[in-house]
Amino acid sequence: LYPGLTAGAGYHRGVTTPIRAKKSLGQHWLTDGKVLRRIAAAAEITPEDTVIEVGPGKGALTQHLVPLASRLIAVEMDDVLAPRLSEMYADDPKVTVVHRDVLETSAEAILNEGEGGLPYVVVGNLPYNIGTAIIRRLLTAMVRPRWLLVLLQAEVAERIAAKPGKMSYLAVEMQFYAEPRLLFRVPAKAFRPPPKVQSAVLMMEVRDSPDVEVDDRQAFLTLVQAGFAAPRKRLRNSLAVGLRATGPEAATILEAAGVDGDQRPQMLTLEQWRDIYFAFRRIAATA
């Protein structure tokens, strides 16, 4: 399921059958050696770090990461690729291949199976259709990574790293847990077969605690989601739609928060969403 930062047709220990990308699983091998080296160089791995590589594929990036890590756990779902990776690294005690779906497995289980310790970091070429779901699962894990270095669809990476003025619910959600930095773009021609979209490498520094303090994280994000219910409308109207409230009721909440209801939702900072959240809670408590 995970494309993997990988190169070439892939022959392993006498295996003469080439591994071809599975279109049904959205696999695209990254074949550009310059890009692979640049990704590995961008990974801020320390000798103490356990590295979880999501979707190593045929192991092209893995070989660049292994020398940097104290321990590398390659999480691969593909039934053909996982055993071949295990064979490739059978003689390397610092590498473990975990044959699992990262969306169905906790970070704690992956670390335990791979005999990895803390701190840990994540590197991965994530599939376009579930990339944000993988990031969300890791950011909300009981044991979170220090950072994630991921290759995503460029449009999604840009949305995650957006600044006030271009914010979306996804940006608020991700930036609540981490500080994202868009590092560089990767053209489609760097892959075989080439995808139909551009990709980008995103670094996400995980916060020790959320950037804004709230008493209920899920309730806060639900309120933000309500605020983006009609993102093309003014904030006052969008919030009213999301909360199923009247315009005057939404205006009262925004006034109590000290936030201008005439602006669009994408203009707000995380701090302003926090203020709206607490204003909403106060008003709801007295209703």
Coordinates of all heavy atoms in Angstrom, one line a residue, residues 214-264:
V214 N -5.7 23.9 25.4 CA -7.1 23.8 25.6 C -7.4 22.7 26.5 O -6.6 21.8 26.8 CB -7.8 23.6 24.2 CG1 -7.6 24.8 23.3 CG2 -7.3 22.3 23.6
D215 N -8.7 22.7 27.1 CA -9.0 21.7 28.1 C -9.5 20.4 27.5 O -9.6 19.4 28.1 CB -10.0 22.2 29.1 CG -11.2 22.8 28.4 OD1 -11.4 22.7 27.1 OD2 -12.1 23.4 29.1
D216 N -9.8 20.4 26.2 CA -10.3 19.2 25.5 C -9.9 19.3 24.0 O -10.5 20.1 23.2 CB -11.8 19.1 25.6 CG -12.4 17.8 25.1 OD1 -11.9 17.3 24.1 OD2 -13.4 17.3 25.6
R217 N -8.9 18.6 23.6 CA -8.4 18.7 22.3 C -9.4 18.3 21.2 O -9.5 19.0 20.2 CB -7.1 17.8 22.1 CG -6.0 18.2 23.0 CD -4.8 17.3 22.9 NE -3.7 17.6 23.8 CZ -2.5 17.0 23.9 NH1 -2.3 16.0 23.0 NH2 -1.7 17.3 24.8
Q218 N -10.1 17.3 21.4 CA -11.1 16.8 20.4 C -12.2 17.9 20.3 O -12.7 18.2 19.2 CB -11.7 15.5 20.7 CG -12.5 14.9 19.6 CD -11.8 14.9 18.3 OE1 -10.7 14.3 18.2 NE2 -12.4 15.5 17.3
A219 N -12.7 18.4 21.4 CA -13.7 19.4 21.4 C -13.2 20.7 20.7 O -14.0 21.3 19.9 CB -14.2 19.8 22.8
F220 N -12.0 21.0 20.9 CA -11.4 22.2 20.2 C -11.4 22.0 18.7 O -11.8 22.9 17.9 CB -10.0 22.4 20.7 CG -9.2 23.4 19.9 CD1 -9.4 24.8 20.0 CD2 -8.2 23.0 19.1 CE1 -8.7 25.7 19.2 CE2 -7.4 23.9 18.3 CZ -7.7 25.2 18.4
L221 N -10.9 20.8 18.2 CA -10.8 20.6 16.8 C -12.2 20.5 16.2 O -12.4 20.8 15.0 CB -10.0 19.3 16.5 CG -8.5 19.4 16.9 CD1 -7.8 18.0 16.7 CD2 -7.9 20.4 16.0
T222 N -13.2 20.0 17.0 CA -14.6 19.9 16.5 C -15.1 21.3 16.2 O -15.8 21.6 15.3 CB -15.5 19.1 17.4 OG1 -15.0 17.8 17.6 CG2 -16.9 19.1 17.0
L223 N -14.8 22.2 17.2 CA -15.2 23.6 17.0 C -14.5 24.3 15.8 O -15.2 25.0 15.0 CB -14.8 24.4 18.3 CG -15.2 25.9 18.5 CD1 -14.3 26.8 17.8 CD2 -16.6 26.1 18.1
V224 N -13.2 24.0 15.6 CA -12.6 24.5 14.4 C -13.2 24.0 13.1 O -13.4 24.7 12.2 CB -11.1 24.2 14.5 CG1 -10.4 24.6 13.2 CG2 -10.4 24.8 15.7
Q225 N -13.5 22.7 13.1 CA -14.1 22.1 12.0 C -15.5 22.8 11.7 O -15.8 23.0 10.5 CB -14.3 20.6 12.2 CG -14.6 19.8 11.0 CD -14.4 18.3 11.2 OE1 -14.7 17.8 12.3 NE2 -14.0 17.6 10.2
A226 N -16.2 23.1 12.7 CA -17.4 23.8 12.5 C -17.2 25.2 11.9 O -18.0 25.7 11.1 CB -18.2 24.0 13.9
G227 N -16.1 25.8 12.3 CA -15.8 27.2 11.8 C -15.5 27.2 10.3 O -15.6 28.2 9.6
F228 N -15.0 26.0 9.8 CA -14.7 25.9 8.4 C -15.8 25.2 7.6 O -15.6 24.7 6.5 CB -13.4 25.0 8.2 CG -12.1 25.8 8.4 CD1 -11.5 25.8 9.6 CD2 -11.7 26.6 7.4 CE1 -10.3 26.5 9.8 CE2 -10.5 27.4 7.5 CZ -9.8 27.3 8.7
A229 N -17.0 25.1 8.2 CA -18.1 24.5 7.6 C -18.5 25.1 6.2 O -18.9 24.4 5.3 CB -19.4 24.5 8.5
A230 N -18.3 26.4 6.1 CA -18.6 27.1 4.8 C -17.4 28.1 4.6 O -17.6 29.3 4.8 CB -19.9 27.8 4.9
P231 N -16.2 27.6 4.3 CA -15.0 28.4 4.2 C -15.0 29.6 3.3 O -14.3 30.5 3.5 CB -13.9 27.4 3.8 CG -14.6 26.3 3.1 CD -16.0 26.2 3.8
R232 N -15.9 29.6 2.3 CA -16.0 30.7 1.4 C -16.9 31.9 2.0 O -16.9 33.0 1.4 CB -16.5 30.3 0.0 CG -15.6 29.3 -0.7 CD -16.0 29.0 -2.1 NE -15.1 28.1 -2.8 CZ -15.3 27.7 -4.0 NH1 -16.3 28.1 -4.7 NH2 -14.4 26.9 -4.6
K233 N -17.6 31.6 3.0 CA -18.4 32.6 3.6 C -17.6 33.3 4.7 O -16.5 32.9 5.1 CB -19.6 31.9 4.3 CG -20.6 31.3 3.4 CD -21.8 30.7 4.1 CE -22.8 30.0 3.2 NZ -23.5 31.0 2.4
R234 N -18.1 34.4 5.2 CA -17.5 35.1 6.3 C -17.6 34.2 7.5 O -18.4 33.4 7.7 CB -18.2 36.5 6.5 CG -18.1 37.4 5.3 CD -18.6 38.8 5.6 NE -18.6 39.6 4.5 CZ -17.6 40.2 3.9 NH1 -16.4 40.1 4.5 NH2 -17.7 41.0 2.9
L235 N -16.6 34.4 8.4 CA -16.5 33.6 9.6 C -17.8 33.5 10.4 O -18.1 32.4 10.8 CB -15.3 34.1 10.5 CG -15.1 33.4 11.8 CD1 -14.7 32.0 11.6 CD2 -14.0 34.1 12.6
R236 N -18.4 34.6 10.6 CA -19.7 34.6 11.3 C -20.7 33.6 10.7 O -21.3 32.9 11.5 CB -20.2 36.0 11.4 CG -21.6 36.2 12.1 CD -22.0 37.6 12.1 NE -22.0 38.2 10.8 CZ -21.2 39.1 10.3 NH1 -20.2 39.6 11.1 NH2 -21.3 39.6 9.1
N237 N -20.8 33.7 9.4 CA -21.8 32.8 8.8 C -21.4 31.3 8.7 O -22.2 30.4 8.9 CB -22.1 33.3 7.3 CG -22.7 34.7 7.3 OD1 -23.4 35.1 8.2 ND2 -22.3 35.5 6.3
S238 N -20.0 31.1 8.5 CA -19.5 29.8 8.4 C -19.7 29.1 9.8 O -20.1 27.9 9.9 CB -18.0 29.8 8.0 OG -17.5 28.5 7.9
L239 N -19.4 29.8 10.9 CA -19.5 29.3 12.2 C -20.9 28.9 12.5 O -21.2 27.9 13.1 CB -18.9 30.2 13.2 CG -18.8 29.7 14.7 CD1 -17.9 28.5 14.8 CD2 -18.3 30.8 15.6
A240 N -21.8 29.8 12.1 CA -23.3 29.6 12.3 C -23.7 28.3 11.6 O -24.5 27.5 12.2 CB -24.1 30.8 11.8
V241 N -23.2 28.1 10.4 CA -23.6 26.8 9.7 C -23.0 25.6 10.4 O -23.7 24.6 10.6 CB -23.0 26.9 8.3 CG1 -23.1 25.5 7.6 CG2 -23.7 28.0 7.4
G242 N -21.8 25.7 10.8 CA -21.1 24.6 11.5 C -21.7 24.2 12.8 O -21.8 23.0 13.2
L243 N -22.2 25.3 13.6 CA -22.7 25.0 14.9 C -24.3 24.9 14.9 O -24.9 24.6 15.9 CB -22.4 26.2 15.8 CG -20.9 26.4 16.2 CD1 -20.8 27.7 17.1 CD2 -20.4 25.2 16.9
R244 N -24.8 25.0 13.7 CA -26.3 25.0 13.5 C -26.9 26.1 14.4 O -27.9 25.8 15.1 CB -26.8 23.6 13.8 CG -26.3 22.6 12.8 CD -26.9 21.2 13.1 NE -26.4 20.2 12.2 CZ -26.8 18.9 12.2 NH1 -27.6 18.5 13.1 NH2 -26.3 18.1 11.4
A245 N -26.3 27.2 14.4 CA -26.7 28.3 15.2 C -27.2 29.5 14.3 O -27.1 29.4 13.1 CB -25.6 28.8 16.1
T246 N -27.8 30.5 14.9 CA -28.2 31.6 14.1 C -27.0 32.6 13.9 O -26.0 32.5 14.6 CB -29.3 32.4 14.9 OG1 -28.8 32.9 16.1 CG2 -30.5 31.5 15.2
G247 N -27.1 33.5 13.0 CA -26.1 34.4 12.7 C -25.8 35.3 14.0 O -24.6 35.4 14.4
P248 N -26.8 35.8 14.7 CA -26.6 36.6 15.9 C -25.9 35.8 17.0 O -25.0 36.3 17.7 CB -28.0 37.0 16.3 CG -28.7 37.1 15.0 CD -28.2 35.9 14.2
E249 N -26.2 34.5 17.1 CA -25.6 33.6 18.1 C -24.1 33.4 17.8 O -23.2 33.5 18.7 CB -26.3 32.3 18.2 CG -27.7 32.3 18.8 CD -28.4 31.0 18.7 OE1 -28.1 30.2 17.7 OE2 -29.3 30.7 19.5
A250 N -23.8 33.2 16.5 CA -22.4 33.1 16.2 C -21.6 34.4 16.4 O -20.5 34.4 16.8 CB -22.3 32.6 14.7
A251 N -22.3 35.5 16.0 CA -21.7 36.8 16.2 C -21.4 37.1 17.7 O -20.3 37.7 18.0 CB -22.6 37.9 15.7
T252 N -22.2 36.6 18.6 CA -22.0 36.8 20.0 C -20.8 36.1 20.5 O -20.0 36.6 21.3 CB -23.2 36.3 20.8 OG1 -24.4 37.1 20.4 CG2 -23.0 36.4 22.3
I253 N -20.6 34.9 20.0 CA -19.4 34.1 20.3 C -18.1 34.8 19.9 O -17.2 34.9 20.6 CB -19.5 32.7 19.7 CG1 -20.7 31.9 20.3 CG2 -18.2 31.9 19.9 CD1 -21.0 30.6 19.6
L254 N -18.1 35.2 18.6 CA -17.0 35.9 18.0 C -16.7 37.2 18.8 O -15.5 37.5 19.0 CB -17.2 36.1 16.5 CG -17.3 34.8 15.7 CD1 -17.6 35.1 14.3 CD2 -16.0 34.0 15.8
E255 N -17.7 37.9 19.1 CA -17.5 39.2 19.8 C -16.9 38.9 21.2 O -16.0 39.6 21.6 CB -18.8 39.9 20.0 CG -18.7 41.3 20.7 CD -20.0 42.0 20.8 OE1 -21.0 41.5 20.2 OE2 -20.1 43.1 21.5
A256 N -17.3 37.8 21.9 CA -16.8 37.5 23.2 C -15.3 37.1 23.1 O -14.5 37.2 24.0 CB -17.6 36.4 23.8
A257 N -15.0 36.5 21.9 CA -13.6 36.1 21.7 C -12.7 37.2 21.2 O -11.5 37.0 21.1 CB -13.6 34.9 20.6
G258 N -13.3 38.3 20.8 CA -12.5 39.4 20.3 C -12.0 39.2 18.9 O -10.9 39.7 18.5
V259 N -12.8 38.4 18.1 CA -12.4 38.0 16.7 C -13.4 38.6 15.7 O -14.6 38.5 15.9 CB -12.3 36.5 16.5 CG1 -12.0 36.1 15.1 CG2 -11.3 35.9 17.5
D260 N -12.9 39.3 14.7 CA -13.7 39.9 13.7 C -14.4 38.9 12.8 O -13.8 38.0 12.1 CB -12.8 40.7 12.7 CG -13.6 41.5 11.7 OD1 -14.8 41.4 11.7 OD2 -12.9 42.1 10.8
G261 N -15.7 38.9 12.9 CA -16.6 37.9 12.2 C -16.7 38.1 10.7 O -17.3 37.3 10.0
D262 N -16.2 39.3 10.2 CA -16.4 39.6 8.8 C -15.3 39.0 8.0 O -15.3 39.0 6.7 CB -16.3 41.1 8.6 CG -17.7 41.8 9.0 OD1 -18.7 41.1 9.0 OD2 -17.6 43.0 9.4
Q263 N -14.2 38.5 8.6 CA -13.1 37.9 7.8 C -13.4 36.4 7.5 O -14.4 35.8 8.1 CB -11.8 37.9 8.6 CG -11.8 37.3 10.0 CD -10.6 37.5 10.8 OE1 -9.5 37.6 10.2 NE2 -10.7 37.7 12.1
R264 N -12.7 35.8 6.6 CA -12.9 34.5 6.2 C -12.2 33.5 7.2 O -11.2 33.9 7.8 CB -12.3 34.2 4.8 CG -12.9 35.0 3.7 CD -14.3 34.5 3.3 NE -14.8 35.2 2.1 CZ -15.5 36.3 2.1 NH1 -15.8 36.9 3.2 NH2 -15.9 36.8 0.9

